[in-house]
Amino acid sequence: MRPSVGVVIPTRGDRPGPLLAALTGVLAQDYAGRVDVVVVADGVPAFLVAQQVSMPDSGAVRGVRVLGNRSARGLPGARNTGISVLGTDLVAFCDDDDLWLPGKLAAQVDALAEEPAAGFASCAVEVEYGDRRVPRLAGTGRVTHRHLTRSRMMMVHSSTFLFRRGWAWVDESAPGGQNEDWDLALRAAWRHPIVHVDRPLVRVRWGSSHYAGRWADRIAGLEWMLARHPGLAAEPRGAARVYGQLAFCHAALGRRREAARWSLRAFSARPGEPRAAMALAVAGGLVSPRAVLHALHVRGHGI
């Protein structure tokens, strides 16, 4: 028998169209095992979200359970609420604005079955931004802790996560819900390399994120990661990346002195770190942070 899978989809109730698409993508998976879906309403009454997923012509999402967030408000608490009510063998995440592509679930379950010691799986993604779609591959079938220390590896995205129930919980202390997925992946990879299916089986839709432009929260989230994972500062490439991101966020807030300080740290860790150069350009008023992000996003990259 195929292992049962529980899928957790958090939502704030403000994206009914993408939410219905996400649900349809999950339930359209050609998977022989049982699939239970829990939609967790975060900061909005559950009955409103229940009405959204029972709209006319949405018959593909019948049987979906909708409940309110019973943990700390925010994305980490919503994910943990979903995990806590599931009784399935495996747990998967999907954001309410992303889309599982055909074959995603079966491929990951098969990959986990081939490596019994592993408890966590991911897959490559296809980034959708405007009218462009860019595949992001990892170039490996095993994502290690060192991989995730050197690079965030955005293809190891929360909407690709599949893990054995009881193997992982989301840390609800993440400031503003920032980097909770990176933290979870790092902790998972520390136990055992993440099994990675390097085919784009999830479409990640950029442009409607609740986190874009929340620069102060992003700063707090990056500082939280540095405190929780000292290895990030010990790896020059990874350290330069985080320092460069901090520089950019400060620059976006108009904090030129802090942007310069973090840029210097980034260049010291890795001469030529591009994020630090972008931060200095923003701090100097040569370009806007929005223009930088747009130029990166059309190529399937972030800051």
Side-chain angles (χ1 to χ4, degrees), residues 218-244:
R218 295 179 74 169
I219 290 168
L222 289 167
E223 291 176 341
W224 180 76
M225 287 295 293
L226 288 173
R228 281 179 60 80
H229 300 279
L232 292 175
E235 165 57 56
R237 190 181 186 91
R241 178 185 178 278
V242 174
Y243 299 159

Side-chain angles (χ1 to χ4, degrees), residues 283-302:
L286 301 178
V287 64
S288 71
R290 182 184 295 273
V292 173
L293 291 181
H294 174 74
L296 291 171
H297 289 351
V298 295
R299 294 168 176 79
H301 291 266

